[in-house]
Amino acid sequence: MATTTLPDPERLAACAREIADAGRDLGARGWTPATSSNFSLRYDDTHAAVTVSGRDKGRLSVDDIMLVDFAGNAVGTSARPSAETLLHVQMYRRDASIGAVLHTHSHNQTVASRLYAPAGLIRFSGLELQKAITGYTTHDSELDLPVFPNTQDMPELVDQVDAWLDAGKPLHGYLIDGHGIYTWGRTMAEARRHLEAFEFLLAVELDLRRLRA
Amino acid sequence: MATTTLPDPERLAACAREIADAGRDLGARGWTPATSSNFSLRYDDTHAAVTVSGRDKGRLSVDDIMLVDFAGNAVGTSARPSAETLLHVQMYRRDASIGAVLHTHSHNQTVASRLYAPAGLIRFSGLELQKAITGYTTHDSELDLPVFPNTQDMPELVDQVDAWLDAGKPLHGYLIDGHGIYTWGRTMAEARRHLEAFEFLLAVELDLRRLRA
Amino acid sequence: MATTTLPDPERLAACAREIADAGRDLGARGWTPATSSNFSLRYDDTHAAVTVSGRDKGRLSVDDIMLVDFAGNAVGTSARPSAETLLHVQMYRRDASIGAVLHTHSHNQTVASRLYAPAGLIRFSGLELQKAITGYTTHDSELDLPVFPNTQDMPELVDQVDAWLDAGKPLHGYLIDGHGIYTWGRTMAEARRHLEAFEFLLAVELDLRRLRA
Amino acid sequence: MATTTLPDPERLAACAREIADAGRDLGARGWTPATSSNFSLRYDDTHAAVTVSGRDKGRLSVDDIMLVDFAGNAVGTSARPSAETLLHVQMYRRDASIGAVLHTHSHNQTVASRLYAPAGLIRFSGLELQKAITGYTTHDSELDLPVFPNTQDMPELVDQVDAWLDAGKPLHGYLIDGHGIYTWGRTMAEARRHLEAFEFLLAVELDLRRLRA
């Protein structure tokens, strides 16, 4: 499926720099503890650039980014992609407008995922920052972030996301129980804005629970 | 209304540098998530320099600041000012001593706005840092921070602020429910001191609620 | 009382550098919000170098430090010393071994002062970090941090501290209600270690209250 | 026991640089307050490089690291090793695969140690980050972190750890009540990953307690 000339070294390096910049910033916020988390950028219609498994996501270099096809197979390298690569390529396959996918593992994401797993989702409403999610133009709206059960079986996780999307429900990100968040955007900038917005919304929601207890 | 020679490029650049400095510092504290927040400086008796809409408030450059008149219209540029510009110019119009207005969107500001919206205000008392608000000389005083309902209709927000001021009640800042804070000062330094003081007072108030629950 | 040759410019500059270093570090931790806080170093048997009133304590320069005598009067300058200077010189007067006094205004210090003001003190026990206070060699001890009522009348605050010391009770620092902490040491390094230890102990104590509620 | 040529200055300096790097990073996170904490690296089959007592662990230089034998005696220096050196060499003695030991003193470590001391351990389950501990391949597992009573008598602490290990129970780290954490790894990188993972897991566990109260 992959041609022998893939990847173009300069293009992959450009992807790597953009991913490493994001990683440095997100790592500095403490959202990528203990080599967790992974990031990707769309490379073309059938490939994505993703982080190599097990690297410190706050200190990524060009060698820490590799090419995969949309089945999750390494292309032009013997490196092993991040374990959750299938969840990245799923989004690129299903939505041609998606250009970047981010998975992080912050304190608030993990705590919220544990608390809201029984309900299956967190519903945000009345918060101005909902407008940071593309398509939302007012705080007077409802924004749902589903929480899927965790499993070490990636195809099972892929199926859960497919089922949500196949039901026609809007999806801008999701939590995995005990694990972290996935979110995305047309560009890395938009994906980062969405991630920053979800983190903020989760922190507010959790703190209101503490204060209203 | 605006003359054809406005703005003076050097004067606008000087305003932009002062605003960008504030933005960098406030962004580093996490008070401007996901391109939220906006800042302004009085330019003259009928104009203000404000942030252009949608920019990352932690990395502002000279091109991210523009001139508006006190009706909120862009002057000498086709850029679009921040959505809440009307709330900035309102303060300059009503009080000739005001030289800078800051709107941020911190975690504590948002959480407090949700909790105190039903009461309509937060009353601080007994805290030494109330003295950081100009005019307060003792902790043994009451400092009110109103919480106005949120709306995407800016003139409605303007009316709420006008109503408070027209009632002759002291006003050093206000929260908008689910949204963030507005505060101001004669200079950028004073506006920043007021912002820092309100953030501190809100954090203390929220934590005392958690601890006294 | 003060000779006409005081202060020696080089010696005062050396004090100023040491105070500014402490201020930069403590300011970066967020313990000196909105120009609050003040710091001092013993200059000689009857004088101390203290911060000038109203300066940003995170960005102190040589010009922001001045000399005072132990009655709190400015020496060799028309600058105004920090409002709480009397509380600094009191410690130098009473204990010849004290070389540095720090007053900060952190979130935890303020919150704890409000909560424990009715009891008049916070008692730490069982925490290894009590050993960071000079003279404590085991966690199996009791360390009292008194909380004095706040007043804008400095001599009244001085009297409260004198009364505690005159009663022969050990004193390594104290809180003022709604205000912040005072602590000290033989050197600036020891004063900073004491401050860091009290901040840590207060944070732990408050969090245990939240968790045991 | 130690030969007269020990330590090799270059080899000790290399150890010191690796320890100082870890210290700078861990100090910047606030996990080494007030000169607490200590770090070590295996030097050879019978020696370890450890931090000298009382130094600021966030600003270690080559002179702040010394050699000890596995009885905790200084080798080739008159410096005094960190008080808890016996707890470091114990791990090197008992497990030849251990190459680095870290002891820190974070807020969460201290608070959790106080809360879980009566139970004697904290059990983590269902959290993806358990996989950051070498040997754990799924969140669907149980990871125990024991909490031992504190004492100023180091041999007594050593005996408590020996008793746990002699019982054949897995041990990847432990808390001492009111004090902090010990954890280790085959390399400094692994020890740091384990430390970061335990800190994250403790923070999540504590926050879930706050939220479920």
Side-chain angles (χ1 to χ4, degrees), chain A residues 136-197:
Chain A
Y136 283 74
T137 57
T138 172
H139 67 285
D140 194 9
S141 58
E142 289 181 345
L143 169 61
D144 285 351
L145 183 70
V147 186
F148 297 122
N150 196 10
T151 164
Q152 299 304 318
D153 182 40
M154 283 303 124
E156 205 176 312
L157 277 173
V158 169
D159 286 350
Q160 296 181 63
V161 178
D162 273 335
W164 182 280
L165 288 165
D166 291 344
K169 291 186 271 190
L171 189 71
H172 307 280
Y174 56 85
L175 293 174
I176 303 177
D177 182 16
H179 192 151
I181 202 171
Y182 281 81
T183 190
W184 46 81
R186 289 165 295 185
T187 60
M188 180 61 88
E190 190 178 84
R192 289 175 66 170
R193 197 185 72 224
H194 286 168
L195 178 60
E196 207 173 329

Coordinates of all heavy atoms in Angstrom, one line a residue, chain A residues 136-197:
Chain A
Y136 N -19.4 26.0 18.2 CA -20.1 26.5 19.3 C -20.1 28.1 19.4 O -19.0 28.6 19.4 CB -19.6 26.0 20.7 CG -20.1 24.5 20.8 CD1 -19.6 23.5 20.1 CD2 -21.2 24.3 21.7 CE1 -20.0 22.2 20.3 CE2 -21.7 23.0 21.9 CZ -21.1 21.9 21.1 OH -21.5 20.7 21.3
T137 N -21.2 28.8 19.3 CA -21.2 30.2 19.3 C -21.8 30.9 20.5 O -21.9 32.1 20.6 CB -22.0 30.7 18.0 OG1 -23.3 30.2 18.1 CG2 -21.3 30.2 16.8
T138 N -22.2 30.0 21.5 CA -22.8 30.6 22.7 C -22.6 29.7 23.9 O -22.5 28.5 23.7 CB -24.3 30.9 22.5 OG1 -24.9 31.3 23.8 CG2 -25.1 29.6 22.0
H139 N -22.5 30.3 25.1 CA -22.4 29.5 26.3 C -23.7 28.8 26.6 O -23.8 27.9 27.4 CB -22.1 30.5 27.5 CG -23.3 31.4 27.7 ND1 -23.6 32.5 26.9 CD2 -24.2 31.4 28.7 CE1 -24.6 33.1 27.4 NE2 -25.1 32.5 28.5
D140 N -24.8 29.3 25.9 CA -26.1 28.8 26.2 C -26.4 27.5 25.3 O -27.3 27.5 24.4 CB -27.1 29.9 25.9 CG -28.5 29.5 26.5 OD1 -28.6 28.5 27.3 OD2 -29.5 30.2 26.2
S141 N -25.5 26.5 25.5 CA -25.6 25.3 24.7 C -25.1 24.1 25.5 O -24.7 24.3 26.7 CB -24.6 25.5 23.5 OG -23.3 25.7 24.0
E142 N -25.2 22.9 25.0 CA -24.8 21.8 25.7 C -23.6 21.1 24.9 O -23.8 20.9 23.7 CB -25.9 20.8 25.9 CG -26.9 21.3 27.0 CD -28.0 20.3 27.2 OE1 -28.2 19.4 26.4 OE2 -28.7 20.5 28.3
L143 N -22.6 20.8 25.6 CA -21.4 20.2 25.0 C -21.1 18.9 25.7 O -20.8 18.9 26.9 CB -20.2 21.1 25.1 CG -18.8 20.6 24.7 CD1 -18.8 20.2 23.3 CD2 -17.8 21.7 25.0
D144 N -21.2 17.7 25.0 CA -21.0 16.4 25.7 C -19.6 15.9 25.4 O -19.2 15.8 24.2 CB -22.1 15.4 25.1 CG -23.5 15.7 25.7 OD1 -23.6 16.5 26.7 OD2 -24.4 15.0 25.3
L145 N -19.0 15.4 26.4 CA -17.7 14.7 26.3 C -17.9 13.3 26.8 O -18.1 13.1 28.0 CB -16.6 15.4 27.1 CG -15.2 14.9 27.0 CD1 -14.6 15.1 25.7 CD2 -14.3 15.5 28.1
P146 N -18.0 12.3 25.9 CA -18.2 10.9 26.4 C -17.0 10.3 27.1 O -15.9 10.8 26.9 CB -18.5 10.1 25.1 CG -18.0 10.9 24.0 CD -17.9 12.4 24.4
V147 N -17.3 9.4 28.0 CA -16.3 8.6 28.7 C -16.4 7.2 28.4 O -17.4 6.5 28.7 CB -16.4 8.8 30.3 CG1 -15.2 8.1 30.9 CG2 -16.5 10.2 30.7
F148 N -15.5 6.6 27.6 CA -15.5 5.2 27.2 C -14.8 4.3 28.2 O -13.7 4.8 28.8 CB -14.9 5.0 25.8 CG -15.7 5.8 24.8 CD1 -15.0 6.7 24.0 CD2 -17.0 5.5 24.6 CE1 -15.7 7.4 23.0 CE2 -17.7 6.2 23.6 CZ -17.1 7.1 22.8
P149 N -15.2 3.1 28.5 CA -14.5 2.2 29.4 C -13.1 1.9 28.8 O -12.9 1.9 27.6 CB -15.3 0.9 29.3 CG -16.6 1.3 28.8 CD -16.4 2.4 28.0
N150 N -12.1 1.7 29.7 CA -10.7 1.4 29.3 C -10.6 0.0 28.9 O -11.3 -0.9 29.5 CB -9.7 1.8 30.4 CG -8.3 1.9 29.8 OD1 -8.1 1.9 28.6 ND2 -7.4 2.1 30.8
T151 N -9.7 -0.3 28.0 CA -9.3 -1.7 27.7 C -7.9 -1.7 27.1 O -7.6 -0.6 26.5 CB -10.3 -2.4 26.7 OG1 -9.7 -3.6 26.2 CG2 -10.7 -1.5 25.6
Q152 N -7.2 -2.7 27.2 CA -5.9 -2.8 26.5 C -6.0 -3.3 25.1 O -5.1 -3.3 24.4 CB -4.9 -3.7 27.3 CG -4.6 -3.2 28.7 CD -4.1 -1.7 28.8 OE1 -3.2 -1.3 28.0 NE2 -4.6 -0.9 29.7
D153 N -7.3 -3.6 24.7 CA -7.6 -4.1 23.4 C -8.0 -2.9 22.5 O -9.1 -2.4 22.6 CB -8.7 -5.1 23.4 CG -9.0 -5.7 22.1 OD1 -8.1 -6.0 21.3 OD2 -10.2 -5.9 21.8
M154 N -7.0 -2.4 21.7 CA -7.3 -1.2 20.9 C -8.5 -1.3 20.0 O -9.3 -0.3 19.9 CB -6.0 -0.7 20.1 CG -5.0 -0.1 21.0 SD -5.6 1.4 21.9 CE -5.1 0.9 23.5
P155 N -8.6 -2.4 19.2 CA -9.8 -2.5 18.3 C -11.1 -2.3 19.1 O -12.1 -1.7 18.5 CB -9.7 -3.9 17.7 CG -8.2 -4.1 17.8 CD -7.7 -3.5 19.0
E156 N -11.2 -2.8 20.3 CA -12.4 -2.6 21.1 C -12.6 -1.1 21.4 O -13.8 -0.6 21.3 CB -12.2 -3.3 22.4 CG -13.5 -3.8 23.1 CD -13.2 -4.6 24.4 OE1 -12.3 -5.5 24.3 OE2 -13.7 -4.3 25.4
L157 N -11.6 -0.3 21.7 CA -11.7 1.1 21.9 C -12.2 1.8 20.6 O -13.1 2.6 20.6 CB -10.4 1.7 22.3 CG -10.1 1.6 23.8 CD1 -8.7 2.1 24.1 CD2 -11.1 2.4 24.6
V158 N -11.6 1.3 19.4 CA -12.0 1.9 18.1 C -13.5 1.6 17.9 O -14.2 2.5 17.4 CB -11.1 1.2 17.0 CG1 -11.7 1.6 15.6 CG2 -9.6 1.7 17.1
D159 N -13.9 0.5 18.3 CA -15.4 0.1 18.0 C -16.3 1.1 18.9 O -17.3 1.5 18.4 CB -15.6 -1.3 18.4 CG -15.1 -2.3 17.4 OD1 -14.6 -1.8 16.3 OD2 -15.0 -3.5 17.7
Q160 N -15.8 1.4 20.1 CA -16.7 2.2 20.9 C -16.8 3.6 20.3 O -17.9 4.2 20.3 CB -16.0 2.4 22.3 CG -16.0 1.1 23.1 CD -15.4 1.3 24.5 OE1 -16.0 2.0 25.3 NE2 -14.3 0.6 24.7
V161 N -15.7 4.1 19.8 CA -15.8 5.5 19.1 C -16.6 5.4 17.8 O -17.4 6.3 17.6 CB -14.3 6.0 18.8 CG1 -14.4 7.3 18.1 CG2 -13.5 6.0 20.1
D162 N -16.4 4.3 17.1 CA -17.2 4.2 15.8 C -18.7 4.1 16.2 O -19.5 4.8 15.5 CB -16.8 2.8 15.1 CG -15.6 3.0 14.2 OD1 -15.4 4.2 13.7 OD2 -14.9 2.1 13.9
A163 N -19.1 3.4 17.2 CA -20.5 3.3 17.6 C -21.1 4.6 17.9 O -22.2 5.0 17.5 CB -20.6 2.3 18.8
W164 N -20.3 5.5 18.6 CA -20.8 6.8 19.0 C -21.0 7.6 17.7 O -22.0 8.3 17.5 CB -19.8 7.5 19.9 CG -20.2 8.9 20.3 CD1 -20.1 10.0 19.6 CD2 -20.8 9.3 21.6 NE1 -20.5 11.1 20.3 CE2 -21.0 10.7 21.5 CE3 -21.1 8.6 22.7 CZ2 -21.5 11.4 22.6 CZ3 -21.7 9.3 23.8 CH2 -21.9 10.6 23.7
L165 N -20.0 7.6 16.8 CA -20.1 8.4 15.6 C -21.2 7.9 14.7 O -21.9 8.6 14.0 CB -18.7 8.4 14.9 CG -17.6 9.2 15.5 CD1 -16.2 8.8 15.0 CD2 -17.9 10.7 15.4
D166 N -21.3 6.5 14.6 CA -22.3 5.9 13.7 C -23.7 6.3 14.2 O -24.6 6.3 13.4 CB -22.1 4.4 13.7 CG -20.8 4.0 12.9 OD1 -20.3 4.9 12.2 OD2 -20.4 2.8 13.1
A167 N -23.8 6.6 15.4 CA -25.2 7.0 16.0 C -25.5 8.4 15.6 O -26.5 9.0 16.0 CB -25.2 6.8 17.5
G168 N -24.5 9.1 14.9 CA -24.7 10.5 14.5 C -24.6 11.5 15.5 O -25.0 12.7 15.4
K169 N -24.0 11.1 16.7 CA -23.9 12.1 17.8 C -22.6 13.0 17.6 O -21.6 12.4 17.1 CB -23.8 11.4 19.1 CG -25.1 10.7 19.5 CD -25.1 10.2 20.9 CE -24.6 8.7 20.9 NZ -24.8 8.1 22.2
P170 N -22.7 14.3 17.9 CA -21.5 15.1 17.7 C -20.4 14.7 18.6 O -20.6 14.2 19.7 CB -22.0 16.5 18.1 CG -23.3 16.3 18.8 CD -23.8 15.0 18.4
L171 N -19.1 14.8 18.1 CA -18.0 14.3 18.9 C -16.8 15.2 18.7 O -16.3 15.4 17.5 CB -17.6 12.9 18.5 CG -16.6 12.2 19.4 CD1 -17.2 11.9 20.8 CD2 -16.0 10.9 18.8
H172 N -16.3 15.9 19.7 CA -15.2 16.8 19.6 C -14.0 16.3 20.4 O -12.9 16.9 20.4 CB -15.6 18.2 20.1 CG -16.9 18.7 19.4 ND1 -16.8 19.2 18.1 CD2 -18.2 18.6 19.7 CE1 -18.0 19.5 17.7 NE2 -18.9 19.1 18.7
G173 N -14.2 15.2 21.2 CA -13.2 14.7 22.0 C -13.8 13.6 22.8 O -15.1 13.5 22.8
Y174 N -13.0 12.7 23.5 CA -13.6 11.8 24.4 C -12.6 11.4 25.5 O -11.3 11.6 25.2 CB -14.1 10.5 23.7 CG -13.1 9.8 22.8 CD1 -12.2 8.8 23.4 CD2 -13.0 10.0 21.4 CE1 -11.2 8.2 22.6 CE2 -12.0 9.4 20.6 CZ -11.2 8.5 21.2 OH -10.2 7.8 20.5
L175 N -13.0 11.0 26.6 CA -12.2 10.5 27.7 C -12.2 8.9 27.6 O -13.2 8.4 27.3 CB -12.7 10.9 29.0 CG -12.6 12.4 29.4 CD1 -13.3 12.7 30.7 CD2 -11.1 12.9 29.4
I176 N -11.1 8.3 28.1 CA -11.1 6.9 28.3 C -10.9 6.7 29.8 O -10.1 7.4 30.4 CB -10.0 6.2 27.6 CG1 -10.2 6.4 26.1 CG2 -10.0 4.7 27.9 CD1 -9.1 5.8 25.2
D177 N -11.8 5.9 30.5 CA -11.8 5.8 31.9 C -10.4 5.5 32.5 O -9.8 4.5 32.1 CB -12.8 4.7 32.3 CG -13.0 4.6 33.8 OD1 -12.5 5.5 34.5 OD2 -13.5 3.6 34.2
G178 N -10.0 6.3 33.5 CA -8.7 6.0 34.1 C -7.5 6.4 33.3 O -6.4 6.1 33.6
H179 N -7.7 7.0 32.2 CA -6.7 7.1 31.2 C -6.3 8.5 30.7 O -5.2 9.0 30.8 CB -7.1 6.2 30.0 CG -6.0 5.9 29.0 ND1 -5.9 4.8 28.3 CD2 -4.9 6.7 28.7 CE1 -4.9 4.8 27.5 NE2 -4.2 5.9 27.7
G180 N -7.2 9.2 30.0 CA -6.9 10.5 29.5 C -7.9 10.9 28.4 O -9.0 10.3 28.3
I181 N -7.5 11.9 27.6 CA -8.4 12.5 26.6 C -7.9 12.3 25.2 O -6.7 12.2 25.0 CB -8.7 14.0 26.9 CG1 -10.0 14.5 26.3 CG2 -7.5 14.8 26.4 CD1 -10.3 15.9 26.7
Y182 N -8.8 12.2 24.3 CA -8.5 12.4 22.8 C -9.3 13.6 22.3 O -10.5 13.7 22.6 CB -8.8 11.2 22.0 CG -7.8 10.1 22.1 CD1 -7.8 9.2 23.3 CD2 -6.8 9.9 21.2 CE1 -6.9 8.2 23.4 CE2 -5.9 8.9 21.3 CZ -5.9 8.0 22.4 OH -5.0 7.1 22.6
T183 N -8.6 14.5 21.6 CA -9.3 15.5 20.9 C -8.5 15.9 19.6 O -7.4 15.4 19.4 CB -9.5 16.8 21.8 OG1 -10.4 17.7 21.1 CG2 -8.2 17.5 22.1
W184 N -9.1 16.7 18.8 CA -8.5 16.9 17.4 C -9.0 18.2 16.9 O -9.7 19.0 17.5 CB -9.0 15.7 16.5 CG -10.4 15.4 16.6 CD1 -11.5 16.1 16.0 CD2 -11.0 14.4 17.5 NE1 -12.7 15.6 16.4 CE2 -12.4 14.6 17.3 CE3 -10.5 13.5 18.3 CZ2 -13.3 13.7 18.0 CZ3 -11.4 12.6 19.0 CH2 -12.8 12.8 18.8
G185 N -8.5 18.5 15.7 CA -8.9 19.7 15.0 C -8.4 19.7 13.5 O -7.6 18.8 13.2
R186 N -8.8 20.7 12.8 CA -8.4 20.8 11.4 C -6.9 21.0 11.3 O -6.2 20.6 10.4 CB -9.2 21.9 10.7 CG -10.6 21.5 10.5 CD -11.5 22.7 10.1 NE -11.5 23.6 11.2 CZ -12.3 24.7 11.2 NH1 -13.1 25.0 10.2 NH2 -12.3 25.5 12.3
T187 N -6.4 21.8 12.3 CA -4.9 22.1 12.3 C -4.4 21.8 13.7 O -5.2 21.6 14.7 CB -4.7 23.6 12.1 OG1 -5.4 24.3 13.1 CG2 -5.2 24.0 10.7
M188 N -3.1 21.7 13.9 CA -2.6 21.5 15.2 C -3.0 22.7 16.2 O -3.3 22.4 17.3 CB -1.0 21.5 15.1 CG -0.3 21.3 16.5 SD -0.8 19.8 17.3 CE 0.5 18.6 16.6
A189 N -3.1 23.9 15.6 CA -3.5 25.0 16.5 C -4.9 24.8 17.0 O -5.2 25.1 18.2 CB -3.4 26.3 15.7
E190 N -5.8 24.3 16.1 CA -7.2 24.1 16.6 C -7.3 22.9 17.5 O -8.0 23.0 18.5 CB -8.1 23.8 15.4 CG -9.6 23.8 15.7 CD -10.5 23.6 14.5 OE1 -10.7 22.4 14.1 OE2 -11.0 24.6 14.0
A191 N -6.5 21.9 17.3 CA -6.5 20.7 18.2 C -6.0 21.2 19.6 O -6.5 20.8 20.6 CB -5.6 19.6 17.6
R192 N -5.0 22.0 19.6 CA -4.5 22.5 20.9 C -5.5 23.4 21.6 O -5.6 23.4 22.8 CB -3.1 23.3 20.7 CG -2.0 22.3 20.3 CD -0.7 23.1 20.0 NE -0.2 23.7 21.2 CZ 1.0 24.3 21.2 NH1 1.8 24.2 20.2 NH2 1.4 24.8 22.3
R193 N -6.2 24.2 20.8 CA -7.2 25.1 21.5 C -8.3 24.2 22.0 O -8.8 24.5 23.1 CB -7.8 26.1 20.4 CG -8.5 27.2 21.0 CD -9.2 28.1 20.0 NE -10.3 27.5 19.4 CZ -10.6 27.4 18.1 NH1 -9.8 28.0 17.2 NH2 -11.7 26.8 17.6
H194 N -8.7 23.2 21.3 CA -9.8 22.3 21.8 C -9.3 21.5 23.1 O -10.0 21.4 24.1 CB -10.1 21.2 20.8 CG -11.0 21.8 19.6 ND1 -11.2 21.1 18.5 CD2 -11.6 23.0 19.5 CE1 -12.0 21.9 17.7 NE2 -12.2 23.0 18.3
L195 N -8.0 21.1 23.1 CA -7.5 20.4 24.3 C -7.4 21.4 25.5 O -7.9 21.0 26.6 CB -6.0 19.9 23.9 CG -5.3 19.2 25.1 CD1 -6.1 18.0 25.6 CD2 -3.9 18.9 24.7
E196 N -7.0 22.6 25.2 CA -6.9 23.6 26.3 C -8.3 23.9 26.9 O -8.5 24.0 28.1 CB -6.2 24.8 25.8 CG -5.5 25.6 26.8 CD -4.7 26.8 26.2 OE1 -4.2 26.7 25.0 OE2 -4.6 27.8 26.8
A197 N -9.3 24.0 26.0 CA -10.7 24.3 26.4 C -11.2 23.1 27.2 O -11.8 23.3 28.2 CB -11.5 24.5 25.2

